Amino acid sequence: MALSPTKTDEAGLLVAAAQARDIVCADFDGDNTTDLFVADYDAPSLLFLNARMGKFRLGGSFSPPLQKGARAAAEADFNRDGRPDLVVAVGTALLLYTNDGRAHFAGAAIPLPPRLSTNGVTRIRVFDFKQRRLA
């Protein structure tokens, strides 16, 4: 069943995201509901916090701020604190954002090796080779 523009607007999800490249679902604010991170290429990426009853609201904070140019994103507990973190591919770097559990993210850039930085990263998959739980 496709969502109509009216239902999308009622849910709080009708935004200009014509170049949305990835959507990540996780409980970023610790309220036991699924939130949505939309990685967008031609506009800053957005975090929609679940307001329950089929509604979402823009929320969260990112330092450094989210910029346009996102090509991919993924979620996992990278720092093993029990909270979902985000990694976002932007230009010639990966931005690793750690989450405080209230959807406040602190980020650090990880430069890509020259071979990958030419075209950038278009897909991110998270896997723990030591078989510890990441996501």
Side-chain angles (χ1 to χ4, degrees):
M1 178 177 116
L3 287 177
S4 71
T6 303
K7 292 294 183 190
T8 304
D9 190 30
E10 287 175 14
L13 297 172
L14 189 60
V15 295
Q19 293 289 322
R21 300 295 173 111
D22 220 340
I23 297 175
V24 178
C25 303
D27 180 15
F28 293 112
D29 60 359
D31 67 353
N32 296 315
T33 61
T34 302
D35 307 311
L36 306 172
F37 177 80
V38 179
D40 200 325
Y41 187 74
D42 64 352
S45 297
L46 301 170
L47 179 61
F48 293 95
L49 300 177
N50 193 323
R52 302 182 193 272
M53 303 296 292
K55 308 253 187 240
F56 290 83
R57 63 181 172 77
L58 287 173
S61 64
F62 292 83
S63 178
L66 293 167
Q67 303 292 323
K68 63 181 182 177
R71 293 173 167 248
E75 169 272 328
D77 183 11
F78 294 107
N79 60 357
R80 302 201 183 286
D81 65 356
R83 301 173 188 129
D85 304 312
L86 277 169
V87 61
V88 182
V90 179
T92 60
L94 295 176
L95 299 175
L96 177 59
Y97 286 102
T98 55
N99 180 10
D100 71 355
R102 297 183 321 253
H104 301 285
F105 294 85
I110 303 167
L112 294 173
R115 191 177 341 170
L116 290 176
S117 64
T118 303
N119 295 322
V121 172
T122 59
R123 181 174 291 168
I124 300 172
R125 296 294 178 253
V126 178
F127 184 79
D128 184 0
F129 290 98
K130 292 186 179 181
Q131 298 182 355
R132 297 171 296 200
R133 193 175 186 315
L134 284 178

